PDB file of all heavy atoms in Angstrom:
ATOM      1  N   GLN H 320      -6.601  -2.738  -5.160  1.00  0.00           N
ATOM      2  CA  GLN H 320      -6.562  -3.754  -6.214  1.00  0.00           C
ATOM      3  C   GLN H 320      -6.884  -3.149  -7.581  1.00  0.00           C
ATOM      4  O   GLN H 320      -6.261  -3.508  -8.582  1.00  0.00           O
ATOM      5  CB  GLN H 320      -7.497  -4.893  -5.844  1.00  0.00           C
ATOM      6  CG  GLN H 320      -7.001  -5.679  -4.635  1.00  0.00           C
ATOM      7  CD  GLN H 320      -8.083  -6.422  -3.873  1.00  0.00           C
ATOM      8  OE1 GLN H 320      -9.286  -6.227  -4.127  1.00  0.00           O
ATOM      9  NE2 GLN H 320      -7.693  -7.259  -2.925  1.00  0.00           N
ATOM     10  N   ALA H 321      -7.830  -2.227  -7.607  1.00  0.00           N
ATOM     11  CA  ALA H 321      -8.157  -1.546  -8.863  1.00  0.00           C
ATOM     12  C   ALA H 321      -6.963  -0.716  -9.354  1.00  0.00           C
ATOM     13  O   ALA H 321      -6.684  -0.659 -10.560  1.00  0.00           O
ATOM     14  CB  ALA H 321      -9.384  -0.660  -8.672  1.00  0.00           C
ATOM     15  N   ALA H 322      -6.263  -0.065  -8.433  1.00  0.00           N
ATOM     16  CA  ALA H 322      -5.102   0.740  -8.797  1.00  0.00           C
ATOM     17  C   ALA H 322      -3.971  -0.142  -9.338  1.00  0.00           C
ATOM     18  O   ALA H 322      -3.245   0.267 -10.260  1.00  0.00           O
ATOM     19  CB  ALA H 322      -4.612   1.553  -7.603  1.00  0.00           C
ATOM     20  N   VAL H 323      -3.807  -1.338  -8.783  1.00  0.00           N
ATOM     21  CA  VAL H 323      -2.787  -2.251  -9.278  1.00  0.00           C
ATOM     22  C   VAL H 323      -3.081  -2.617 -10.730  1.00  0.00           C
ATOM     23  O   VAL H 323      -2.169  -2.666 -11.575  1.00  0.00           O
ATOM     24  CB  VAL H 323      -2.697  -3.513  -8.401  1.00  0.00           C
ATOM     25  CG1 VAL H 323      -1.862  -4.601  -9.071  1.00  0.00           C
ATOM     26  CG2 VAL H 323      -2.097  -3.154  -7.040  1.00  0.00           C
ATOM     27  N   TYR H 324      -4.331  -2.875 -11.036  1.00  0.00           N
ATOM     28  CA  TYR H 324      -4.710  -3.183 -12.431  1.00  0.00           C
ATOM     29  C   TYR H 324      -4.324  -2.016 -13.338  1.00  0.00           C
ATOM     30  O   TYR H 324      -3.674  -2.201 -14.373  1.00  0.00           O
ATOM     31  CB  TYR H 324      -6.215  -3.438 -12.507  1.00  0.00           C
ATOM     32  CG  TYR H 324      -6.725  -3.515 -13.934  1.00  0.00           C
ATOM     33  CD1 TYR H 324      -6.685  -4.716 -14.634  1.00  0.00           C
ATOM     34  CD2 TYR H 324      -7.229  -2.391 -14.575  1.00  0.00           C
ATOM     35  CE1 TYR H 324      -7.141  -4.794 -15.952  1.00  0.00           C
ATOM     36  CE2 TYR H 324      -7.690  -2.448 -15.888  1.00  0.00           C
ATOM     37  CZ  TYR H 324      -7.648  -3.650 -16.573  1.00  0.00           C
ATOM     38  OH  TYR H 324      -8.087  -3.716 -17.865  1.00  0.00           O
ATOM     39  N   SER H 325      -4.755  -0.820 -12.984  1.00  0.00           N
ATOM     40  CA  SER H 325      -4.507   0.353 -13.817  1.00  0.00           C
ATOM     41  C   SER H 325      -3.022   0.642 -13.966  1.00  0.00           C
ATOM     42  O   SER H 325      -2.531   0.896 -15.068  1.00  0.00           O
ATOM     43  CB  SER H 325      -5.217   1.576 -13.209  1.00  0.00           C
ATOM     44  OG  SER H 325      -4.916   2.747 -13.926  1.00  0.00           O
ATOM     45  N   GLY H 326      -2.275   0.599 -12.859  1.00  0.00           N
ATOM     46  CA  GLY H 326      -0.850   0.872 -12.909  1.00  0.00           C
ATOM     47  C   GLY H 326      -0.086  -0.143 -13.743  1.00  0.00           C
ATOM     48  O   GLY H 326       0.824   0.210 -14.513  1.00  0.00           O
ATOM     49  N   THR H 327      -0.468  -1.419 -13.615  1.00  0.00           N
ATOM     50  CA  THR H 327       0.178  -2.469 -14.393  1.00  0.00           C
ATOM     51  C   THR H 327      -0.105  -2.283 -15.888  1.00  0.00           C
ATOM     52  O   THR H 327       0.804  -2.386 -16.724  1.00  0.00           O
ATOM     53  CB  THR H 327      -0.299  -3.855 -13.937  1.00  0.00           C
ATOM     54  OG1 THR H 327       0.003  -4.036 -12.549  1.00  0.00           O
ATOM     55  CG2 THR H 327       0.357  -4.966 -14.728  1.00  0.00           C
ATOM     56  N   LEU H 328      -1.353  -2.012 -16.223  1.00  0.00           N
ATOM     57  CA  LEU H 328      -1.721  -1.826 -17.619  1.00  0.00           C
ATOM     58  C   LEU H 328      -0.991  -0.623 -18.224  1.00  0.00           C
ATOM     59  O   LEU H 328      -0.465  -0.702 -19.349  1.00  0.00           O
ATOM     60  CB  LEU H 328      -3.240  -1.624 -17.726  1.00  0.00           C
ATOM     61  CG  LEU H 328      -3.820  -1.529 -19.134  1.00  0.00           C
ATOM     62  CD1 LEU H 328      -3.592  -2.820 -19.917  1.00  0.00           C
ATOM     63  CD2 LEU H 328      -5.325  -1.217 -19.058  1.00  0.00           C
ATOM     64  N   HIS H 329      -0.900   0.472 -17.467  1.00  0.00           N
ATOM     65  CA  HIS H 329      -0.250   1.665 -17.982  1.00  0.00           C
ATOM     66  C   HIS H 329       1.266   1.431 -18.137  1.00  0.00           C
ATOM     67  O   HIS H 329       1.882   1.907 -19.098  1.00  0.00           O
ATOM     68  CB  HIS H 329      -0.495   2.849 -17.060  1.00  0.00           C
ATOM     69  CG  HIS H 329      -0.108   4.165 -17.655  1.00  0.00           C
ATOM     70  ND1 HIS H 329      -0.804   4.736 -18.701  1.00  0.00           N
ATOM     71  CD2 HIS H 329       0.909   5.016 -17.378  1.00  0.00           C
ATOM     72  CE1 HIS H 329      -0.233   5.888 -19.039  1.00  0.00           C
ATOM     73  NE2 HIS H 329       0.812   6.082 -18.244  1.00  0.00           N
ATOM     74  N   TYR H 330       1.840   0.678 -17.215  1.00  0.00           N
ATOM     75  CA  TYR H 330       3.267   0.332 -17.335  1.00  0.00           C
ATOM     76  C   TYR H 330       3.530  -0.413 -18.646  1.00  0.00           C
ATOM     77  O   TYR H 330       4.491  -0.102 -19.380  1.00  0.00           O
ATOM     78  CB  TYR H 330       3.714  -0.522 -16.151  1.00  0.00           C
ATOM     79  CG  TYR H 330       5.065  -1.166 -16.351  1.00  0.00           C
ATOM     80  CD1 TYR H 330       6.243  -0.441 -16.209  1.00  0.00           C
ATOM     81  CD2 TYR H 330       5.150  -2.512 -16.717  1.00  0.00           C
ATOM     82  CE1 TYR H 330       7.485  -1.039 -16.433  1.00  0.00           C
ATOM     83  CE2 TYR H 330       6.388  -3.116 -16.936  1.00  0.00           C
ATOM     84  CZ  TYR H 330       7.550  -2.370 -16.785  1.00  0.00           C
ATOM     85  OH  TYR H 330       8.769  -2.954 -17.003  1.00  0.00           O
ATOM     86  N   LEU H 331       2.691  -1.393 -18.947  1.00  0.00           N
ATOM     87  CA  LEU H 331       2.891  -2.176 -20.173  1.00  0.00           C
ATOM     88  C   LEU H 331       2.713  -1.308 -21.414  1.00  0.00           C
ATOM     89  O   LEU H 331       3.447  -1.447 -22.400  1.00  0.00           O
ATOM     90  CB  LEU H 331       1.913  -3.355 -20.187  1.00  0.00           C
ATOM     91  CG  LEU H 331       2.180  -4.417 -19.121  1.00  0.00           C
ATOM     92  CD1 LEU H 331       1.042  -5.434 -19.075  1.00  0.00           C
ATOM     93  CD2 LEU H 331       3.509  -5.105 -19.346  1.00  0.00           C
ATOM     94  N   GLN H 332       1.788  -0.388 -21.378  1.00  0.00           N
ATOM     95  CA  GLN H 332       1.609   0.549 -22.495  1.00  0.00           C
ATOM     96  C   GLN H 332       2.845   1.429 -22.650  1.00  0.00           C
ATOM     97  O   GLN H 332       3.282   1.722 -23.772  1.00  0.00           O
ATOM     98  CB  GLN H 332       0.366   1.394 -22.257  1.00  0.00           C
ATOM     99  CG  GLN H 332      -0.941   0.599 -22.348  1.00  0.00           C
ATOM    100  CD  GLN H 332      -2.135   1.349 -21.814  1.00  0.00           C
ATOM    101  OE1 GLN H 332      -2.002   2.363 -21.119  1.00  0.00           O
ATOM    102  NE2 GLN H 332      -3.325   0.848 -22.107  1.00  0.00           N
ATOM    103  N   ALA H 333       3.427   1.841 -21.530  1.00  0.00           N
ATOM    104  CA  ALA H 333       4.630   2.671 -21.577  1.00  0.00           C
ATOM    105  C   ALA H 333       5.833   1.884 -22.104  1.00  0.00           C
ATOM    106  O   ALA H 333       6.651   2.427 -22.860  1.00  0.00           O
ATOM    107  CB  ALA H 333       4.930   3.232 -20.183  1.00  0.00           C
ATOM    108  N   VAL H 334       5.945   0.624 -21.704  1.00  0.00           N
ATOM    109  CA  VAL H 334       7.037  -0.222 -22.220  1.00  0.00           C
ATOM    110  C   VAL H 334       6.908  -0.367 -23.745  1.00  0.00           C
ATOM    111  O   VAL H 334       7.899  -0.259 -24.481  1.00  0.00           O
ATOM    112  CB  VAL H 334       6.998  -1.612 -21.557  1.00  0.00           C
ATOM    113  CG1 VAL H 334       7.917  -2.593 -22.291  1.00  0.00           C
ATOM    114  CG2 VAL H 334       7.431  -1.510 -20.099  1.00  0.00           C
ATOM    115  N   ALA H 335       5.689  -0.587 -24.210  1.00  0.00           N
ATOM    116  CA  ALA H 335       5.479  -0.727 -25.653  1.00  0.00           C
ATOM    117  C   ALA H 335       5.835   0.571 -26.381  1.00  0.00           C
ATOM    118  O   ALA H 335       6.456   0.536 -27.462  1.00  0.00           O
ATOM    119  CB  ALA H 335       4.024  -1.100 -25.927  1.00  0.00           C
ATOM    120  N   ALA H 336       5.485   1.708 -25.795  1.00  0.00           N
ATOM    121  CA  ALA H 336       5.781   2.994 -26.416  1.00  0.00           C
ATOM    122  C   ALA H 336       7.283   3.291 -26.411  1.00  0.00           C
ATOM    123  O   ALA H 336       7.829   3.820 -27.379  1.00  0.00           O
ATOM    124  CB  ALA H 336       5.022   4.113 -25.713  1.00  0.00           C
ATOM    125  N   ALA H 337       7.947   2.925 -25.296  1.00  0.00           N
ATOM    126  CA  ALA H 337       9.392   3.181 -25.170  1.00  0.00           C
ATOM    127  C   ALA H 337      10.222   2.164 -25.962  1.00  0.00           C
ATOM    128  O   ALA H 337      11.395   2.420 -26.253  1.00  0.00           O
ATOM    129  CB  ALA H 337       9.798   3.147 -23.698  1.00  0.00           C
ATOM    130  N   ARG H 338       9.636   1.005 -26.252  1.00  0.00           N
ATOM    131  CA  ARG H 338      10.319  -0.081 -26.955  1.00  0.00           C
ATOM    132  C   ARG H 338      11.561  -0.568 -26.205  1.00  0.00           C
ATOM    133  O   ARG H 338      12.564  -0.978 -26.799  1.00  0.00           O
ATOM    134  CB  ARG H 338      10.697   0.339 -28.381  1.00  0.00           C
ATOM    135  CG  ARG H 338       9.505   0.716 -29.239  1.00  0.00           C
ATOM    136  CD  ARG H 338       9.912   1.092 -30.639  1.00  0.00           C
ATOM    137  NE  ARG H 338       8.750   1.475 -31.431  1.00  0.00           N
ATOM    138  CZ  ARG H 338       8.801   1.834 -32.711  1.00  0.00           C
ATOM    139  NH1 ARG H 338       9.978   1.876 -33.329  1.00  0.00           N
ATOM    140  NH2 ARG H 338       7.709   2.171 -33.362  1.00  0.00           N
ATOM    141  N   THR H 339      11.462  -0.522 -24.904  1.00  0.00           N
ATOM    142  CA  THR H 339      12.582  -0.954 -24.054  1.00  0.00           C
ATOM    143  C   THR H 339      12.064  -1.140 -22.633  1.00  0.00           C
ATOM    144  O   THR H 339      10.996  -0.631 -22.286  1.00  0.00           O
ATOM    145  CB  THR H 339      13.708   0.099 -24.047  1.00  0.00           C
ATOM    146  OG1 THR H 339      14.764  -0.359 -23.171  1.00  0.00           O
ATOM    147  CG2 THR H 339      13.221   1.446 -23.539  1.00  0.00           C
ATOM    148  N   LEU H 340      12.849  -1.859 -21.819  1.00  0.00           N
ATOM    149  CA  LEU H 340      12.552  -1.997 -20.386  1.00  0.00           C
ATOM    150  C   LEU H 340      13.389  -1.038 -19.552  1.00  0.00           C
ATOM    151  O   LEU H 340      13.301  -1.050 -18.320  1.00  0.00           O
ATOM    152  CB  LEU H 340      12.805  -3.435 -19.928  1.00  0.00           C
ATOM    153  CG  LEU H 340      11.844  -4.497 -20.488  1.00  0.00           C
ATOM    154  CD1 LEU H 340      12.320  -5.887 -20.111  1.00  0.00           C
ATOM    155  CD2 LEU H 340      10.436  -4.258 -19.973  1.00  0.00           C
ATOM    156  N   ASP H 341      14.186  -0.205 -20.202  1.00  0.00           N
ATOM    157  CA  ASP H 341      15.026   0.757 -19.485  1.00  0.00           C
ATOM    158  C   ASP H 341      14.164   1.646 -18.598  1.00  0.00           C
ATOM    159  O   ASP H 341      13.252   2.337 -19.096  1.00  0.00           O
ATOM    160  CB  ASP H 341      15.791   1.594 -20.492  1.00  0.00           C
ATOM    161  CG  ASP H 341      16.648   2.655 -19.821  1.00  0.00           C
ATOM    162  OD1 ASP H 341      17.704   2.296 -19.292  1.00  0.00           O
ATOM    163  OD2 ASP H 341      16.227   3.847 -19.835  1.00  0.00           O
ATOM    164  N   GLY H 342      14.458   1.655 -17.296  1.00  0.00           N
ATOM    165  CA  GLY H 342      13.613   2.349 -16.335  1.00  0.00           C
ATOM    166  C   GLY H 342      13.358   3.814 -16.631  1.00  0.00           C
ATOM    167  O   GLY H 342      12.193   4.242 -16.716  1.00  0.00           O
ATOM    168  N   PRO H 343      14.368   4.645 -16.798  1.00  0.00           N
ATOM    169  CA  PRO H 343      14.131   6.062 -17.059  1.00  0.00           C
ATOM    170  C   PRO H 343      13.346   6.310 -18.346  1.00  0.00           C
ATOM    171  O   PRO H 343      12.510   7.232 -18.401  1.00  0.00           O
ATOM    172  CB  PRO H 343      15.555   6.636 -17.149  1.00  0.00           C
ATOM    173  CG  PRO H 343      16.371   5.734 -16.281  1.00  0.00           C
ATOM    174  CD  PRO H 343      15.792   4.361 -16.505  1.00  0.00           C
ATOM    175  N   LYS H 344      13.589   5.516 -19.391  1.00  0.00           N
ATOM    176  CA  LYS H 344      12.850   5.705 -20.633  1.00  0.00           C
ATOM    177  C   LYS H 344      11.380   5.313 -20.477  1.00  0.00           C
ATOM    178  O   LYS H 344      10.475   5.997 -20.967  1.00  0.00           O
ATOM    179  CB  LYS H 344      13.502   4.905 -21.757  1.00  0.00           C
ATOM    180  CG  LYS H 344      14.868   5.444 -22.174  1.00  0.00           C
ATOM    181  CD  LYS H 344      15.497   4.626 -23.284  1.00  0.00           C
ATOM    182  CE  LYS H 344      16.872   5.190 -23.659  1.00  0.00           C
ATOM    183  NZ  LYS H 344      17.533   4.364 -24.702  1.00  0.00           N
ATOM    184  N   VAL H 345      11.143   4.225 -19.760  1.00  0.00           N
ATOM    185  CA  VAL H 345       9.767   3.814 -19.509  1.00  0.00           C
ATOM    186  C   VAL H 345       9.063   4.845 -18.616  1.00  0.00           C
ATOM    187  O   VAL H 345       7.899   5.191 -18.842  1.00  0.00           O
ATOM    188  CB  VAL H 345       9.720   2.413 -18.857  1.00  0.00           C
ATOM    189  CG1 VAL H 345       8.299   2.056 -18.437  1.00  0.00           C
ATOM    190  CG2 VAL H 345      10.265   1.360 -19.813  1.00  0.00           C
ATOM    191  N   ALA H 346       9.777   5.360 -17.618  1.00  0.00           N
ATOM    192  CA  ALA H 346       9.209   6.385 -16.737  1.00  0.00           C
ATOM    193  C   ALA H 346       8.774   7.614 -17.526  1.00  0.00           C
ATOM    194  O   ALA H 346       7.737   8.234 -17.243  1.00  0.00           O
ATOM    195  CB  ALA H 346      10.221   6.771 -15.662  1.00  0.00           C
ATOM    196  N   GLY H 347       9.591   7.984 -18.538  1.00  0.00           N
ATOM    197  CA  GLY H 347       9.236   9.118 -19.378  1.00  0.00           C
ATOM    198  C   GLY H 347       7.926   8.889 -20.111  1.00  0.00           C
ATOM    199  O   GLY H 347       7.090   9.799 -20.210  1.00  0.00           O
TER     200      GLY H 347
END
Side-chain angles (χ1 to χ4, degrees):
Q320 292 156 350
V323 168
Y324 170 86
S325 175
T327 301
L328 185 62
H329 193 69
Y330 167 77
L331 292 171
Q332 292 167 345
V334 168
R338 300 181 181 181
T339 178
L340 292 172
D341 178 76
K344 291 179 181 178
V345 174

